[in-house]
Amino acid sequence: MTILVTGARGNVGRRVLERLHAAGHTLRASSRTPEELSVPAGVDAVRLDLNRPATFDAALSGVDKAFLYAESEGAKELFAAAARAGVRQIVLLSSSAVSGPHAGTDALAVAHAAVESALEASGVPRTVLRPGAFASNAFGWSHAVRAGAPVRIPFPDAHTAPIHEDDIADVAVAVLDGDAYLGRTLDLTGPRSLTFREQLGILAGALGRDIPVQELTRDQAVEEMGQFVPAPILASLLDQWAEGVGRPATVLDAERVTGRPARTFEQWAREHLGAFTAQD
Ligand SMILES: NC(=O)c1ccc[n+]([C@@H]2O[C@H](COP(=O)([O-])OP(=O)(O)OC[C@H]3O[C@@H](n4cnc5c(N)ncnc54)[C@H](OP(=O)(O)O)[C@@H]3O)[C@@H](O)[C@H]2O)c1
């Protein structure tokens, strides 16, 4: 059985590839720039650009199962190519935004829902993963923390239940192993609801020093974060955070799929402390 892992150097894809490789699977790893991929011995690196249908057939030929990032442009053509290739399961990395209260209007949700719908319409057997906020979003604070400057964020008291990327990868591998999760959609979170301020407190505890927090107004956040995040996505994130203030996030952690306790944000902080202490 050959398994294709797209985005093989992404936060989640890289971890999925490592686990499947350790389990001895025959693997194909894809990227828009496969020449820049570093893959374990015996893994094929192929070009797959989810926006360029001309790359689909070659990348999917002979593939039995695939781990896929959601990319709405080209999704219909991609799933048609997967059906032609006889792919038996696609595990799609989607987003919990699709299950959210504003799924019809929220830009993140609309984009991910379009991919989910195209996959369903294609008839290719599927499992959809809808994680909430990734623990690794905390990397966004690392520059300020390293500099000893206040972390400037809007809605510091907004709750999320951050999920460790290793848990998303463990779930992906569990659902690729056999047919038990075919046709299922799995909402996934970390094990505990935490505000951004509490996450920063956990990082501060791991670092052994305070991390000052400076609250931004929504307008200030639009001005500062708008330099890096497309406007509709930023609006969607700000809406989600505004709604999360004082409202603990629902916990639907990975343990129900993996059978192992979900990794905590404390563990994530310990494992990634170097990013918050290293000098530029
Ligand atoms: N961060 C969160 O809190 C959160 C929560 C829920 C869902 N999500 C979803 O999770 C995904 C991000 O996951 P991540 O952090 O693992 O991503 P990441 O580290 O940014 O990696 C993204 C991967 O996607 C690949 N990619 C991007 N555009 C592509 C294209 N046109 N064709 C083929 N491959 C492409 C890239 O591969 P190459 O550069 O090698 O081509 C890269 O490896 C997004 O869809 C996001 O909406 C994120």
Side-chain angles (χ1 to χ4, degrees), residues 6-15 30-34 36-37 48-52 55-56 67-71 73 93-97 108 112 129-137 163 165 168 188 237:
T6 67
R9 57 184 176 164
N11 271 322
V12 180
R14 173 167 48 86
R15 291 173 159 88
S30 76
S31 166
R32 288 165 297 181
T33 51
E36 290 171 13
L37 269 185
L48 174 60
D49 185 332
L50 299 169
N51 302 134
R52 290 183 51 218
T55 63
F56 296 169
F67 169 81
L68 203 74
Y69 279 78
E71 186 60 49
E73 197 184 320
L93 180 64
S94 185
S95 165
S96 65
L108 266 171
H112 283 92
L129 308 184
R130 289 183 182 166
F134 291 4
S136 61
N137 293 344
I163 182 166
E165 294 70 31
I168 305 174
L188 299 169
L237 291 171

Side-chain angles (χ1 to χ4, degrees), residues 50-236:
L50 299 169
N51 302 134
R52 290 183 51 218
T55 63
F56 296 169
D57 282 326
L60 287 162
S61 166
V63 166
D64 298 287
K65 296 191 170 197
F67 169 81
L68 203 74
Y69 279 78
E71 186 60 49
S72 40
E73 197 184 320
K76 198 170 160 206
E77 293 85 348
L78 179 75
F79 300 135
R84 279 197 300 280
V87 173
R88 291 191 284 114
Q89 182 185 20
I90 285 179
V91 176
L92 179 70
L93 180 64
S94 185
S95 165
S96 65
V98 182
S99 320
H102 308 295
T105 50
D106 170 308
L108 266 171
V110 167
H112 283 92
V115 181
E116 290 190 17
S117 300
L119 177 54
E120 183 175 0
S122 74
V124 177
R126 70 193 188 281
T127 307
V128 175
L129 308 184
R130 289 183 182 166
F134 291 4
S136 61
N137 293 344
F139 282 133
W141 304 326
S142 62
H143 185 76
V145 173
R146 283 200 306 271
V151 172
R152 294 164 59 77
I153 47 172
F155 308 113
D157 299 308
H159 282 262
T160 66
I163 182 166
H164 194 305
E165 294 70 31
D166 279 338
D167 280 328
I168 305 174
D170 282 347
V171 168
V173 169
V175 304
L176 282 163
D177 184 21
D179 296 337
Y181 290 95
L182 281 182
R184 300 271 303 273
T185 294
L186 302 170
D187 283 282
L188 299 169
T189 68
R192 190 154 71 98
S193 180
L194 294 167
T195 65
F196 294 132
R197 209 187 288 280
E198 286 169 335
Q199 289 184 53
L200 283 159
I202 289 167
L203 274 168
L207 283 169
R209 65 174 165 83
D210 278 354
I211 300 177
V213 177
Q214 188 176 340
E215 180 167 356
L216 299 179
T217 64
R218 186 173 177 125
D219 286 346
Q220 288 170 326
V222 167
E223 199 178 319
E224 292 194 12
M225 300 173 71
Q227 298 170 39
F228 314 104
V229 185
I233 304 296
L234 182 55
S236 155

